[in-house]
Every structure is written in structure tokens, then in C-alpha cells.
Amino acid sequence: MIGIFTAFAVALAGVGLFQWLDLPLPWLLGPIFACLTAAMLGVPMRSLKPINEATRMVLGVAVGATLTPPVLATFPAMWSTLMLVPVMVVAIGLVGVPYFRRLWGYDPATAYYSAMPGGLQDMLLFGEEAGGNVRTLSLIHATRVTVIVVALPFLLKGVWGADLGNAPGASLGVVPVHEMGLMGLCAIVGWWGARRIGLFGAAILGPMIVTGAAAMSGLLENRPPAEAIWAAQFFIGVTIGCKYVGITWGEIRRDLAAGLGFCGILIVLTLIFVEGVYLAGLAPGMETLLAFAPGGQAELTVLALIVGADVAFVVAHHILRIFVVILGAPIVVRMLGDKDAR
């Protein structure tokens, strides 16, 4: 418990520092930087899994509440950009796997699961089952999510002038009590049902589906209050920062350096795809960047909510990306292992 309280105290200090310096997204970036710094100094910290699950449920409800009939009517128009998601995943793999194998000497399983832009928990689970180095995978993916989440606000503000100070929803006192209760019920029922059927990303997708049904039926007219989204940002930041706890200087020299180099590759690939989509007139630039950025689904959902982007568009692309990665990962890494054995 001491590690949990320490993490929260460090994260709150990060929030205060970011607010004092007037830096963007203090409730998200403040905890990330503060916990990352503390972890590299050897401070013992850990996140609390039940709170992490609850955080994702809040985001699932927030996305589901936006799925009104007019929004759903726009889904068929997404096919042209959705088709590019598997292409981008393949491009990342073709560049990333050789990068980790040849430049850093990782084994096939570690190289593949380090390169894939899937969820951190999914990549760690599959990577461990395939014989990969779990510690290396954790550091690589924590670095990927951290760099992408930190870089995006500056791109959004610098290129599109996005207002990162927007409240991500109405205040707690404005949202009707009965809708708050209904959103809580949707979160619990959706999470439980998704877990029962083994749906990946159950904590986000289950509440999103059930809440979406409530929104389409006209029972919901509001998203979760801004205070709930700010809390979600805070706990996401704590979780990301705590991934670095126990890092050694040897790991910093190798795995962190490898992860930072790969982030540079990911940013270049992302900008190429975003520019292509934008020039082709397939989607607005800001939504395209949020949809194709290979960060965490939860973190990018928060950013979309804050800047007022088309949340449904962003989430649809990330769900497809995660599905493609999870579906193809066991098959491809087995092929890589067989090729390496020959």
C-alpha cells in the first residue's frame, strides 16, 4: 500500500507542477513525468489495478455516450481510412521487427512484440507466451505510449491550434443524477458481460457498447462529467509512469534507447500516413492524427475528448488496429521463429 500512496503523492505533485508552469494536460502529463522521474530515481511505486479498470470503464462510457444515431450514420464513410489501418500495422512491422532484430539483437518473439502497436497488457501476455523478454517488452511499450502521448498535445496545439484547456465534458453538477446512475450501471453491466464472453479490451469496449445502446435509445444525453475524465487522465498517467519502476541503468542504455529510437520511426510513419489521408481528402487532419497515432487507446480517447475531435472516428480506428495486431501476432511470430530456426 505504501507504494500506491507514494505513486499518488508523486503524481499529484506532478499535476501541481504542470498547473503552476501552465503546461498542457496537467492531469495526464503531470503524473506521467513525475512518476517517470521518481521511478528512475529508485522510488518504490505501483499502480492499483482495480482503479485502472475503473478508469477504462469511464472512458468506455464516455465514448459510448457519443454514439448517437447521427454519429453512427457516419460510420460507413470511414471505410476508406479503416482499410489503411492494417496497411499501417504491416508497415510498422516491416520496419520495426528488423530494427529490433538486427540493430539491437532481440530474439524473434521480443522483436515482434516490441514492434507491434497493440495494447501493453496484450503484447506482454502474448510476448511472454512466445518466450519473449517481458521486462524489455514492458519498457519498450511504456516508452512508446509515453512519447506518443507527450508529443501529440504539442502537435495538436502547434499545427491545429487545438485548445487543450477545454473541459472534456459538463461539470458534475450539470449532469442529471439519474443519468449518472445509468452510466454507472452501463459501465458495470458492460464490463461484466464483456469479461464473460472474453472480449478483448473488456473494460473499455463492454461499457462502450452498453452505453452506446442507451444513447441510441435516447436514455442518455450527456457524457460522464469532466471531473470523471480528469480522474481518468490522472490514473492513466500514474499507470504509465509506474511501468518504469525498477529500471536499471543497463536497461536505460539498451531498452530505453531502443524504444526511443523506435518512437522516432513510429512518428515518421504516422506523419506519412496522416499526410496521405489528409491530401487525399479522406478525413480531417486532426482526427486522422489521433486515429492513426500508435499510442494507447485510452490515452488517445482522452485527447480526442479534450480537443473536441470526432471521438467515434478515433476509437473505431484504434479498435481495428488492436484487433489486427491481436489476430495476427501469434501467427506471425511463429513464422518468424520457424524462419530463425532454419
Side-chain angles (χ1 to χ4, degrees):
M1 290 297 293
I2 294 177
I4 295 172
F5 287 126
T6 301
F8 289 169
V10 169
L12 285 172
V15 172
L17 179 63
F18 266 58
Q19 288 182 330
W20 181 59
L21 295 175
D22 198 25
L23 294 173
L25 301 182
W27 287 97
L28 178 64
L29 299 186
I32 288 177
F33 274 106
C35 290
L36 171 59
T37 302
M40 295 181 72
L41 292 174
V43 177
M45 299 178 298
R46 67 187 183 94
S47 57
L48 193 60
K49 187 174 181 180
I51 293 181
N52 297 337
E53 289 284 296
T55 294
R56 293 178 177 274
M57 290 163 65
V58 169
L59 296 180
V61 170
V63 175
T66 67
L67 299 180
T68 58
V71 170
L72 290 177
T74 67
F75 271 40
M78 298 181 189
W79 70 268
S80 57
T81 52
L82 288 171
M83 287 177 59
L84 293 174
V85 172
V87 177
M88 184 172 179
V89 171
V90 171
I92 290 172
L94 290 175
V95 175
V97 174
Y99 167 81
F100 286 116
R101 287 283 286 138
R102 297 173 187 172
L103 187 59
W104 296 97
Y106 289 176
D107 61 84
T110 303
Y112 180 76
Y113 285 105
S114 293
M116 284 296 97
L120 189 145
Q121 290 83 1
D122 302 321
M123 295 301 96
L124 292 185
L125 177 61
F126 287 152
E128 184 176 19
E129 290 180 353
N133 186 320
V134 176
R135 181 67 180 174
T136 294
L137 290 170
S138 178
L139 289 171
I140 294 293
H141 286 292
T143 301
R144 168 177 63 89
V145 173
T146 301
V147 170
I148 297 298
V149 170
V150 169
L152 277 180
F154 295 98
L155 279 172
L156 293 170
K157 187 175 182 65
V159 178
W160 290 281
D163 186 357
L164 298 171
N166 285 332
S171 65
L172 184 62
V174 173
V175 180
V177 174
H178 73 276
E179 287 201 21
M180 289 284 294
L182 180 58
M183 284 188 277
L185 181 62
C186 289
I188 295 170
V189 172
W191 171 77
W192 179 82
R195 286 288 298 270
R196 289 280 293 179
I197 65 175
L199 184 67
F200 73 91
I204 288 182
L205 296 186
M208 183 186 79
I209 293 169
V210 176
T211 307
M216 286 185 286
S217 66
L219 296 175
L220 280 177
E221 296 181 357
N222 292 277
R223 289 202 301 254
E227 291 83 356
I229 305 298
W230 284 326
Q233 293 179 58
F234 177 80
F235 290 116
I236 288 171
V238 172
T239 300
I240 294 174
C242 286
K243 295 295 181 186
Y244 290 96
V245 169
I247 190 172
T248 65
W249 287 108
E251 289 172 319
I252 291 174
R253 285 193 298 270
R254 186 193 186 200
D255 295 337
L256 190 55
L260 288 171
F262 185 53
C263 285
I265 293 172
L266 287 175
I267 289 172
V268 171
L269 285 173
T270 300
L271 292 177
I272 290 172
F273 272 82
V274 170
E275 187 68 12
V277 170
Y278 178 71
L279 291 177
L282 300 178
M286 186 168 69
E287 275 79 3
T288 303
L289 178 61
L290 288 167
F292 281 86
Q297 179 187 348
E299 295 79 17
L300 291 168
T301 300
V302 166
L303 284 176
L305 287 168
I306 290 172
V307 301
D310 185 340
V311 179
F313 180 86
V314 173
V315 171
H317 287 73
H318 284 290
I319 291 174
L320 179 58
R321 170 172 60 88
I322 293 171
F323 178 78
V324 169
V325 170
I326 290 177
L327 185 65
I331 299 171
V332 177
V333 79
R334 190 177 299 116
M335 292 170 56
L336 291 172
D338 293 342
K339 180 180 178 182
D340 195 64
R342 291 195 296 269

